[in-house]
Amino acid sequence: MSTRAVILKNISANLLLQLITALGGFILPPLIVVTYGSATNGMLASVKQFIAYLTLLEAGIGAAAIVALYQALTAHDNQLRNRILAAAHHFYRISGSLFAVALVVLATLFAWLTRHEISANLTFCIVLVMGAVNILDFFFFGSYRALLTADQKTYIISSIQAVSIFANIAVCYWLIRAGYSILSVQTASTLIQAAKFLLYRRYVRHHYSGLNQHYDKHHPYHLQQTWDALTHQLTGLLIFSSPLVLISLFLSLKDASIYAVYALIFGAIKMALQSLSQGMQAIFGHSLSTNPAQTRHNFCRYNRLFMCFLGWVYTCTGLLLAPFIQLYTHNMTDANYHQPLLAILFLFVGIIENSRIPAMTIIMAAGRYKATKPQALLEAGINITCSLCFIQIWGSAGILLAALISFLYRSTEMLHYSCRHILSLSFSRPLILWLVIFITIAVAISIGWQPISNISVHNYLDWIKLSLITGLIAALPFSFLLLLIYRRPVQ
């Protein structure tokens, strides 16, 4: 299969996954707020973030295994492949056991922290039920995911996940509308998500001959940079999971619910942007060692395409967010979900954060975990320190301001490192492209804000019509810009 076909399949499958995920995100939380209250919605969102912290027990196994598997798959060395998978599977099982213990501790602590707003017994059970899927992932799928990712078959992962999420949306929607308890809903969700592991196992066993994950403790394969990859995972989860944790601890579950609604919308946008990088890590990982010149050429085109797409997406978001929030939170009356300042800060943070995706992709493809570890630690330090200070002064807005400061540093640093130390490219051209995109977004939103504000949006059909018109008009400047720069020579 050609590289272009692989990219197309990976991106298409991931876009389908993100679309279905976003659909569930937009359908279920409002229903949960209306049926069970904002406190329950805030609790569920916070539990997801706490559980995300516990997945650190993966200890960088997956990231290290993916990099190691590039060599084995390129050389068609099944024996080396099996040794790498056996080592990964062994450590996943150890991590899964530790995760199970940590999950019980988390359930106990979180039930105590939120006991004044929600029943402690209910919270305890929900944490255990929600975390059960992760335990299964550790024991049964971790090594398979590494294999499929390294072999440029993330479209298999995305397709199966899309089916399971769609089934989860349908079942949870019916259960909520039928009046079942939130615990029953979460239990059904866990069972549906667990079923996907059977499909993964069936596919891998059928398509990879001679697969053997038996761990020989006398002659084990030693995964390189495992702890360095862990550091990146740790800093990433501290940064991206800490907001709801801090809001739950320092503010309230209702504040967490408000933040979660905006985070849901911008998270869906982030997933759409990440779809353009789906499968690119494996492609760059295979080509960096065999054809560096072609890798530079492909990366520059990919970066230009990605940045223009990012500009278009966030221009549309800036213009269409306010009317969407009004429709989306129309029935959420137990908290004030109209927060213009949060919306503006989320927009700034999203633009800066997602600008790093191409650079991050090439860094991960090259396996430069150890070399970039100090910068990752510094970003986490800036983010957490500022968050703890700013949340006391500005509340949820302070969390976003802290993220903006840390992302400005890290995104610029990632671009510099990838250009200078991996691709041997000039840093100035990608940086100028960033500035041009940012300015174009600002100008486009400034021009379009007033006309769109004067248009009345009464339902989702009105909003969709407005979105189509806005999207077409907003595409013009970025399409013109892409035509100017896409085929420019690499320097």
Side-chain angles (χ1 to χ4, degrees), residues 131-355:
V133 174
N134 299 84
I135 295 175
L136 294 174
D137 185 85
F138 275 110
F139 278 91
F140 299 109
F141 181 56
S143 57
Y144 290 161
R145 183 174 57 246
L147 174 61
L148 292 172
T149 301
D151 202 22
Q152 305 178 43
K153 292 184 177 179
T154 52
Y155 62 89
I156 299 298
I157 301 174
S158 299
S159 299
I160 294 176
Q161 283 182 332
V163 172
S164 68
I165 290 173
F166 184 81
N168 179 65
I169 295 169
V171 172
C172 289
Y173 182 86
W174 181 82
L175 290 173
I176 294 172
R177 294 301 296 266
Y180 284 83
S181 69
I182 189 63
L183 180 58
S184 299
V185 173
Q186 289 301 317
T187 301
S189 175
T190 295
L191 292 174
I192 291 170
Q193 293 180 67
K196 67 185 178 185
F197 296 119
L198 298 175
L199 298 177
Y200 289 129
R201 179 182 177 84
R202 181 179 178 85
Y203 179 88
V204 171
R205 291 290 179 181
H206 181 72
H207 287 83
Y208 292 91
S209 60
L211 195 65
N212 183 1
Q213 296 191 95
H214 174 70
Y215 182 72
D216 185 354
K217 62 182 180 180
H218 300 294
H219 302 285
Y221 182 90
H222 297 287
L223 293 172
Q224 302 296 318
Q225 299 194 84
T226 299
W227 293 106
D228 298 314
L230 166 63
T231 301
H232 284 269
Q233 290 186 337
L234 173 63
T235 56
L237 281 171
L238 281 175
I239 291 168
F240 298 118
S241 300
S242 62
L244 281 173
V245 175
L246 294 176
I247 292 170
S248 298
L249 293 177
F250 289 99
L251 300 177
S252 70
L253 288 179
K254 285 190 176 181
D255 289 307
S257 181
I258 294 169
Y259 186 96
V261 166
Y262 284 90
L264 175 68
I265 296 169
F266 282 89
I269 296 168
K270 178 180 178 179
M271 289 190 295
L273 290 167
Q274 287 179 329
S275 297
L276 282 182
S277 67
Q278 193 67 26
M280 294 303 298
Q281 178 186 341
I283 290 170
F284 287 142
H286 285 282
S287 66
L288 272 170
S289 59
T290 58
N291 195 341
Q294 186 63 39
T295 303
R296 284 192 292 270
H297 178 77
N298 290 338
F299 174 81
C300 287
R301 285 194 170 185
Y302 161 61
N303 184 54
R304 293 163 186 171
L305 174 64
F306 179 89
M307 289 303 299
C308 288
F309 183 68
L310 176 143
W312 174 70
V313 167
Y314 277 104
T315 297
C316 294
T317 302
L319 294 171
L320 297 167
L321 181 63
F324 180 82
I325 286 291
Q326 291 177 359
L327 291 172
Y328 186 67
T329 62
H330 177 70
N331 294 320
M332 302 181 190
T333 57
D334 62 343
N336 180 20
Y337 286 87
H338 181 62
Q339 303 281 346
L341 179 59
L342 285 185
I344 293 171
L345 288 173
F346 262 111
L347 186 70
F348 288 157
V349 168
I351 294 170
I352 300 301
E353 174 196 350
N354 291 302
S355 297

Side-chain angles (χ1 to χ4, degrees), residues 95 107 113 165 170 176 228 241 302 335 371 394 419 421 423 442 471 473 481:
S95 299
L113 287 171
I165 290 173
I176 294 172
D228 298 314
S241 300
Y302 161 61
W394 297 297
C419 288
H421 300 285
L423 298 168
I473 296 174
L481 181 61

Side-chain angles (χ1 to χ4, degrees), residues 268-489:
I269 296 168
K270 178 180 178 179
M271 289 190 295
L273 290 167
Q274 287 179 329
S275 297
L276 282 182
S277 67
Q278 193 67 26
M280 294 303 298
Q281 178 186 341
I283 290 170
F284 287 142
H286 285 282
S287 66
L288 272 170
S289 59
T290 58
N291 195 341
Q294 186 63 39
T295 303
R296 284 192 292 270
H297 178 77
N298 290 338
F299 174 81
C300 287
R301 285 194 170 185
Y302 161 61
N303 184 54
R304 293 163 186 171
L305 174 64
F306 179 89
M307 289 303 299
C308 288
F309 183 68
L310 176 143
W312 174 70
V313 167
Y314 277 104
T315 297
C316 294
T317 302
L319 294 171
L320 297 167
L321 181 63
F324 180 82
I325 286 291
Q326 291 177 359
L327 291 172
Y328 186 67
T329 62
H330 177 70
N331 294 320
M332 302 181 190
T333 57
D334 62 343
N336 180 20
Y337 286 87
H338 181 62
Q339 303 281 346
L341 179 59
L342 285 185
I344 293 171
L345 288 173
F346 262 111
L347 186 70
F348 288 157
V349 168
I351 294 170
I352 300 301
E353 174 196 350
N354 291 302
S355 297
R356 72 171 68 180
I357 289 178
M360 181 173 61
T361 301
I362 200 71
I363 289 172
M364 293 174 67
R368 300 293 180 89
Y369 296 108
K370 184 175 182 179
T372 56
K373 183 168 66 174
Q375 298 92 318
L377 289 170
L378 179 57
E379 179 191 23
I382 294 172
N383 187 285
I384 299 302
T385 301
C386 291
S387 293
L388 290 171
C389 295
F390 295 168
I391 194 174
Q392 310 290 340
I393 306 171
W394 297 297
S396 298
I399 294 286
L400 290 166
L401 184 59
L404 184 62
I405 293 171
S406 64
F407 291 166
L408 277 170
Y409 156 71
R410 183 70 168 131
S411 295
T412 306
E413 188 280 328
M414 276 188 172
L415 182 65
H416 178 268
Y417 184 90
S418 61
C419 288
R420 290 290 176 85
H421 300 285
I422 299 177
L423 298 168
S424 300
L425 291 170
S426 169
F427 170 60
S428 59
R429 280 198 172 187
L431 185 61
I432 292 172
L433 175 61
W434 275 19
L435 296 175
V436 170
I437 294 294
F438 298 160
I439 292 171
T440 306
I441 294 173
V443 171
I445 292 177
S446 299
I447 294 173
W449 179 261
Q450 191 61 42
I452 289 181
S453 299
N454 294 330
I455 299 175
S456 298
V457 178
H458 302 291
N459 50 55
Y460 283 110
L461 182 58
D462 289 344
W463 186 84
I464 291 172
K465 292 177 181 177
L466 178 62
S467 300
L468 292 174
I469 296 171
T470 303
L472 289 173
I473 296 174
L476 295 177
F478 296 102
S479 298
F480 177 71
L481 181 61
L482 183 61
L483 289 173
L484 287 178
I485 64 174
Y486 185 68
R487 296 189 178 277
R488 291 188 67 178

